[in-house]
């Protein structure tokens, strides 16, 4: 009997009983009210229909008199008036509510009224057919007067009956409303007394104990973990208080462990913060390299365009252009435009290599013409810098199985790097030679013995400790020039690897300058190693993204 569950169950049962009784009373009251209201609405609707029927009969009479006095061929107005009267009479004769029983007396009166109207319609039709105007008007008026004498009492009886029905329904609704108010006041008083009794017997003690739990929980939340509750009666709430005390004890133990772990966590956060700071520094350096890269692209595209526009302006200003000068100017323009076209192709190839969509088209390529083209592309730049740019390659030269444009790009990028970053220097040599110098290393790395392309300069060189890092993307050696464009050693290494070769950075034989060596398999070695057929294949390894 002292269980909170039993008390709440008894309270719920009492509330349920009150709710069922109240619901039953409400349902009965609503049903009675609805019935009274429906009766009143039905009677009022019948009154409205009778009023409309009277108006429609008047319209019909006016139309008949007008047609009798001024006959016309168009009888449609009177026909429309007759149809409206018939429709209204049918509505008056039907029950106002679905399922409402029809009154026998009312049905007889409505049948008599409809029969009188049908007789009136026939009489008016015969009268209007009379060619004599005087007889026609007298006949129409006589028929209307006769109908009014018979239909007037019927309409009066129907109207009075519906008025009494409306008055009776309103009286019933008023009486029912008074009874509902009295019942509602009594029920409210009874519920108020029951609520007060239940509050004193059950709610107030429970609320007091809940207030103690709330106060203790607030103390725990503010950090006073030594707060405890008096258990009191051994009911559900007493068990809850005991569990609360055990929870507070566990929280106190965990708080001590958290305080011990917090120091270790702060040390870990400090270490991770240092790592993030270093990573952010690296990202900033990469972003600066990218901005420098696009500035170099703009510079490389602007230079040949400036030469082309300058040559065109000089030619246009000349009053007479000799044929020899024209050929010279056009040759210069074509050479610069071809260089610009190759630069655009370079950029497209670099963009494809960044997205992993590059395709290497392999074919047997004569090496010496390729090297000569690469050297010729930088002859003017080298001459302007006072650098001797030479090619050492025997005629006709060997064949390599390669993508010609990508291999040319790599060689041009190495020449460009030497001219930009090797200063001070006096010479740059592009040499085709055998692979005997690095044969042992190539064999150990699985590179077939073949042909070596070397780009040597007598500049300041690169310290051995910095050479391996230059193969990373956007990496620059210490003291590099602030500008510079080329394929980059990272892209060059990737392309050479796709050809089955390798690229190395070494010092010259005399210890000065820098020597970049590319070792490629010969055309015969490539075919024996299963390289794609000339002109149709992809690069040996699948076209992955740049490392």
């Amino acid at each position: 009997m002292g269980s909170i569950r039993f008390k709440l169950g008894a309270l719920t049962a009492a509330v349920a009983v009150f709710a069922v009784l109240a619901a039953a009373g409400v349902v009965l009251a609503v049903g009675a009210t609805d019935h009274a209201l429906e009766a009143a609405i039905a009677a009022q609707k019948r009154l409205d229909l009778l009023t409309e029927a009277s108006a429609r009969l008047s319209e019909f009479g006016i139309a008949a008199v007008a047609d009798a006095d001024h006959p016309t061929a168009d009888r449609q107005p009177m026909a429309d008036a007759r149809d409206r009267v018939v429709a209204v009479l049918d509505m008056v004769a039907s029950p106002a509510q679905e399922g409402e029983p029809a009154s026998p007396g009312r049905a007889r009166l409505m049948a008599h009224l409809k029969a009188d109207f049908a007789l009136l319609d026939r009489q008016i039709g015969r009268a209007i057919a009379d060619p004599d105007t005087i007889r026609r008007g007298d006949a129409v008026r006589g028929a209307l007067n006769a109908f009014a004498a018979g239909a007037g009492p019927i309409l009066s009886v129907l109207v009075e009956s519906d008025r009494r029905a409306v008055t009776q329904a309103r009286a019933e609704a008023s009486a029912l409303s008074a009874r509902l108010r009295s019942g509602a006041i009594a029920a409210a008083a009874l519920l108020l007394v029951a609520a007060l009794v239940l509050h004193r017997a059950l709610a107030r003690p429970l609320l007091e104990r809940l207030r103690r739990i709330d106060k203790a929980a607030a103390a725990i939340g503010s950090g006073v973990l030594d707060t405890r509750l008096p258990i009191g009666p051994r009911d559900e709430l007493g068990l809850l208080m005991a569990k609360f005390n055990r929870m507070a004890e566990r929280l106190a133990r965990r708080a001590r462990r958290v305080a011990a772990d917090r120091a270790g966590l702060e040390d870990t956060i400090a270490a991770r913060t240092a790592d993030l700071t270093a990573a952010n520094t690296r990202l900033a350096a990469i972003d600066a390299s990218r901005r420098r890269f696009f500035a170099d692209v703009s510079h490389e595209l602007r230079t040949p365009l400036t030469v082309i526009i300058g040559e065109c302006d000089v030619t246009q200003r000349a009053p007479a252009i000799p044929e020899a000068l024209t050929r010279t100017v056009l040759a210069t323009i074509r050479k610069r435009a071809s260089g610009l076209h190759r630069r655009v192709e370079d950029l497209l190839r670099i963009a494809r290599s960044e997205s992993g969509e590059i395709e290497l088209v392999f074919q047997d390529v004569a090496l010496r013409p390729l090297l000569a083209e690469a050297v010729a592309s930088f002859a003017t730049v080298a001459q302007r810098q006072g650098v001797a740019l030479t090619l050492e390659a025997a005629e006709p030269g060997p064949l390599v199985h390669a993508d010609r444009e990508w291999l040319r790009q790599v060689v041009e990028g190495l020449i460009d790097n030497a001219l930009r970053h090797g200063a001070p220097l006096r010479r740059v040599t592009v040499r085709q030679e055998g692979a005997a110098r690095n044969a042992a290393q190539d064999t150990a790395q699985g590179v077939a013995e073949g042909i070596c392309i070397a780009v040597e300069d007598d500049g300041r060189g690169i310290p051995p400790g910095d050479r391996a890092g230059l193969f990373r993307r956007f990496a620059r050696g210490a003291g590099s020039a602030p500008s510079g464009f080329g394929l980059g050693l990272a892209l060059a290494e990737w392309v050479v690897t796709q050809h089955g070769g390798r690229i190395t950075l070494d010092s010259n034989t005399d210890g000065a300058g820098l020597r970049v060596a590319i070792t490629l398999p010969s055309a015969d070695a490539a075919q024996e190693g299963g390289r794609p057929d000339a002109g149709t294949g992809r690069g040996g390894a699948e076209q992955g993204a740049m490392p």
Side-chain angles (χ1 to χ4, degrees):
M1 293 294 290
S3 172
I4 296 178
R5 184 179 302 173
F6 175 79
K7 295 177 182 178
L8 292 178
L11 176 61
T12 303
V15 172
V17 171
F18 281 121
V20 169
L21 294 176
V26 169
V27 169
L28 294 176
V30 170
T33 303
D34 288 343
H35 180 72
L37 290 177
E38 289 174 358
I41 292 172
Q44 185 63 46
K45 186 178 293 186
R46 289 195 297 270
L47 279 175
D48 295 340
L49 289 174
L50 288 173
T51 302
E52 185 177 359
S54 178
R56 297 305 180 193
L57 287 171
S58 299
E59 291 178 359
F60 179 77
I62 292 171
V65 171
D67 202 11
D69 293 341
H70 304 284
T72 60
D74 185 10
R75 301 290 177 85
Q76 189 62 35
M78 191 174 71
D80 292 342
R82 179 177 63 251
D83 292 340
R84 286 193 291 271
V85 171
V86 172
V88 172
L89 291 178
D90 289 339
M91 293 174 65
V92 174
S94 63
Q97 298 290 334
E98 184 177 353
E100 178 185 356
S103 173
R106 181 184 180 83
R108 287 194 299 272
L109 291 175
M110 287 303 304
H112 193 280
L113 182 61
K114 293 173 70 174
D116 289 348
F117 180 75
L119 177 62
L120 173 65
D121 185 43
R122 289 194 298 272
Q123 290 174 349
I124 289 177
R126 289 194 299 268
I128 290 177
D130 192 338
D132 191 312
T133 302
I134 296 175
R135 286 199 306 271
R136 182 171 59 246
D138 292 341
V140 168
R141 291 180 176 84
L144 290 173
N145 291 331
F147 175 77
I154 295 174
L155 288 174
S156 298
V157 171
L158 291 173
V159 169
E160 185 61 27
S161 175
D162 289 336
R163 284 178 179 171
R164 286 197 301 271
V166 170
T167 302
Q168 182 179 358
R170 288 178 177 174
E172 291 178 358
S174 298
L176 181 60
S177 176
R179 289 196 297 273
L180 287 176
R181 283 195 297 271
S182 299
I185 292 172
L190 180 61
L191 289 175
L192 180 60
V193 172
L196 290 174
V197 173
L198 291 173
H199 175 74
R200 292 181 62 85
L202 179 63
R204 189 164 63 181
L206 289 177
L207 290 175
E208 178 61 25
R209 298 172 73 185
L210 289 174
R211 185 188 64 80
R212 293 177 184 174
I213 295 176
D214 178 70
K215 184 177 180 181
I220 292 291
S222 61
V224 184
L225 300 181
D226 57 350
T227 303
R228 300 295 182 267
L229 285 171
I231 304 248
R234 298 291 178 174
D235 54 9
E236 290 86 349
L237 202 54
L239 296 177
L240 177 62
M241 290 180 172
K243 293 179 181 179
F244 182 91
N245 292 337
R246 290 195 295 271
M247 177 199 69
E249 181 61 30
R250 288 195 297 270
L251 285 177
R253 290 196 300 269
R254 290 183 181 179
R256 290 191 291 271
R257 288 199 298 269
V258 168
D261 294 340
R262 185 175 300 169
L265 180 59
E266 290 177 353
D267 293 340
T268 302
I269 291 174
R272 295 298 179 269
T273 302
D275 293 341
L276 289 175
T277 302
N280 186 54
T281 303
R282 290 194 297 272
L283 289 175
I286 291 173
D287 183 64
S289 298
R290 290 180 183 274
R291 289 196 299 270
R292 185 168 59 248
F293 173 81
F294 287 110
D296 295 344
V297 168
S298 301
H299 171 74
E300 286 295 328
L301 295 181
R302 185 169 59 246
T303 300
L305 285 175
T306 302
V307 174
I308 291 173
I309 294 172
E311 292 291 339
C312 293
D313 292 341
V314 171
T315 304
Q316 288 178 346
R317 286 197 298 268
I321 306 174
E323 182 178 356
L325 178 59
T326 302
R327 292 181 178 276
T328 302
V329 170
L330 291 177
T332 302
I333 291 175
R334 188 181 188 284
K335 180 179 179 181
R336 292 294 180 174
S338 298
L340 182 59
H341 180 267
R342 283 198 301 271
R343 286 302 185 202
V344 172
E345 291 294 329
D346 294 346
L347 295 177
L348 291 176
R349 287 173 179 268
I350 292 172
R352 294 191 186 102
S353 72
E354 293 283 344
S355 61
E357 299 177 356
I358 179 174
E359 289 188 356
L360 300 179
V361 181
F362 285 87
Q363 56 186 338
D364 290 341
V365 178
L367 186 57
R368 191 185 189 288
L370 183 148
L371 298 178
E373 182 179 344
V375 170
S377 298
F378 288 91
T380 303
V381 177
Q383 184 179 4
R384 186 166 58 247
Q385 295 181 6
V387 177
L389 176 60
T390 59
L391 170 64
E392 296 180 4
E395 289 282 3
L399 295 178
V400 292
H401 197 66
D403 183 306
R404 189 181 191 282
E405 288 302 311
W406 270 112
L407 188 55
R408 177 190 59 79
Q409 291 260 5
V410 170
V411 177
E412 287 186 356
L414 297 179
I415 297 173
D416 183 64
N417 284 342
L419 292 174
R420 289 183 181 274
H421 309 300
L425 77 163
R426 298 184 301 276
R427 63 174 180 83
V428 176
T429 303
V430 180
R431 181 180 297 111
Q432 179 265 310
E433 58 189 26
R437 176 172 177 173
N438 296 311
Q441 187 177 0
D442 295 341
T443 302
Q445 297 186 3
V447 179
E449 182 179 355
I451 301 164
C452 178
I453 304 170
V455 178
E456 300 178 351
D457 64 69
D458 61 349
R460 61 186 176 184
I462 298 174
D466 296 341
R467 292 172 185 172
L470 294 179
F471 287 102
R472 294 195 304 268
R473 298 173 67 185
F474 301 105
R476 290 176 180 267
S480 296
S483 63
F485 174 73
L487 295 177
L489 289 179
L491 182 58
E493 182 186 40
W494 185 85
V495 172
V496 172
T497 301
Q498 300 304 306
H499 283 73
R502 61 185 299 271
I503 182 171
T504 58
L505 298 178
D506 298 304
S507 300
N508 289 328
T509 55
D510 56 3
L514 184 68
R515 180 179 187 273
V516 185
I518 300 172
T519 303
L520 297 173
S522 63
D524 295 337
Q527 293 294 344
E528 293 174 359
R531 305 296 293 177
D533 293 338
T536 60
R538 290 176 180 263
E542 189 61 30
Q543 291 75 1
M546 276 286 298

